[in-house]
Amino acid sequence: MYRYIHSHRDKHGSSRLQPYTPNDSLNNALGTIRVLGLELIEDELKPHLNTVLTDIKERKKGAAEQVVISGILPILALSLRSRGPLTLLTAKLVAELAKESVVRKGFGDAGLVTALLSVLTSTDQELLLHITRAISRMSYDSSKQQELLLHRGAVPRLVAILLRYPDKEALEDVCLQTLCNLSGMGVAEEVGIIWERGASVRPGESVFHGVCPHTCGFTSSVTLMHVCQWAPGQYTVNIEVFQRCCSSFWNLHRTKQTACWFPFSSLGSCLNLYKVIKFSTKNIPRTQSLKSHVFHTFL
């Protein structure tokens, strides 16, 4: 199979298309997974899943497109649902595939969204880490995926994990990041948010705040999340974002006035200022943007 992807001029000045030859080992692996996938035989499929995982992690040219063309996404969904010996490896692969926009667009039609959500009830912490990371990546910049995940009950499952493993820092961080992404206020994974637990003032409440430094050095983004249990198995997640400015930045803009900026000293020095963005889903029409949501979750 060849795809012509670019052209160049030969010595006579004419343009010639250059063939793109897919990775043969990847093609063989994808073909084997497609043929044997429904049987989910670990010994036969594991090396081929590893081949695909390696090529995707290394971001080899054309690998993501080959995965889409191969049609293996429904097989990956089946592997996740089976909860068999291949589930963890499949979760790692799906988490890597979720980085590729060309692949994650097909997650819904392939049944991967519901498959991922079904695995969130697992007690395997490593598996939960990869599944949650996949959900975080697929919902980062897609309002369509955010809406689908919200309607399918992603938030209550994530809250349950967040509260079940309070001493697992990596799992806690990825759950918090995913909740932010589902609300439409996510930060790119490579930028990173440093999360800490805050002091709660009400029974049944968990408070988290994360700081995401900006490269310009003048401001940083602070995310404040409240998870409140107001009835058995029922929670409210409230997310607020503040823009914190250093005093030198504020001095440069001291002549500008806006009602949206005010001191919020519990997160730092009173010289720092914050911009508040509030989220609420109570009685919101279905057509309203997801970027103004607080989650009222029901387990």
Side-chain angles (χ1 to χ4, degrees), residues 162-163 172 176 195-210 223-229 236-238 240 242 264 266-267:
L162 184 64
L163 300 181
E172 180 178 275
L176 293 167
W195 290 98
E196 293 182 354
R197 280 184 175 263
S200 60
V201 295
R202 290 179 289 181
E205 179 187 60
S206 298
V207 179
F208 308 89
H209 60 84
T223 302
L224 185 64
M225 186 182 302
H226 293 261
V227 179
C228 302
Q229 182 174 11
T236 301
V237 179
N238 184 13
E240 296 176 303
F242 305 85
F264 196 87
S266 63
L267 293 179

Side-chain angles (χ1 to χ4, degrees), residues 227-249:
V227 179
C228 302
Q229 182 174 11
W230 50 277
Q234 298 182 7
Y235 302 86
T236 301
V237 179
N238 184 13
I239 305 173
E240 296 176 303
V241 173
F242 305 85
Q243 292 294 329
R244 179 172 61 186
C245 298
C246 65
S247 55
S248 59
F249 179 82

Side-chain angles (χ1 to χ4, degrees), residues 124-200:
D124 184 325
Q125 295 176 29
E126 184 180 4
L127 178 59
L128 289 174
L129 183 65
H130 294 294
I131 293 294
T132 306
R133 189 170 286 142
I135 294 172
S136 177
R137 290 167 177 169
M138 66 186 286
S139 61
Y140 164 63
D141 59 354
S142 172
S143 59
K144 181 180 179 180
Q145 297 282 26
Q146 291 162 13
E147 184 173 5
L148 179 59
L149 287 160
L150 288 173
H151 288 321
R152 294 295 176 86
V155 172
R157 291 177 172 90
L158 291 168
V159 170
I161 295 170
L162 184 64
L163 300 181
R164 190 189 309 149
Y165 303 105
D167 56 337
K168 303 300 179 182
E169 184 175 327
L171 189 54
E172 180 178 275
D173 288 355
V174 74
C175 281
L176 293 167
Q177 176 77 31
T178 306
L179 288 170
C180 288
N181 288 349
L182 285 171
S183 73
M185 11 176 323
V187 178
E189 188 175 345
E190 57 270 19
V191 175
I193 298 180
I194 302 172
W195 290 98
E196 293 182 354
R197 280 184 175 263
S200 60

Side-chain angles (χ1 to χ4, degrees), residues 243-282:
Q243 292 294 329
R244 179 172 61 186
C245 298
C246 65
S247 55
S248 59
F249 179 82
W250 181 252
N251 288 335
L252 291 174
H253 298 80
R254 61 184 179 273
T255 58
K256 298 180 180 180
Q257 296 184 10
T258 171
C260 294
W261 293 80
F262 65 95
F264 196 87
S265 59
S266 63
L267 293 179
S269 167
C270 61
L271 293 178
N272 297 329
L273 298 171
Y274 303 82
K275 186 176 181 180
V276 177
I277 309 172
K278 293 185 178 179
F279 299 79
S280 177
T281 54
K282 190 173 182 180

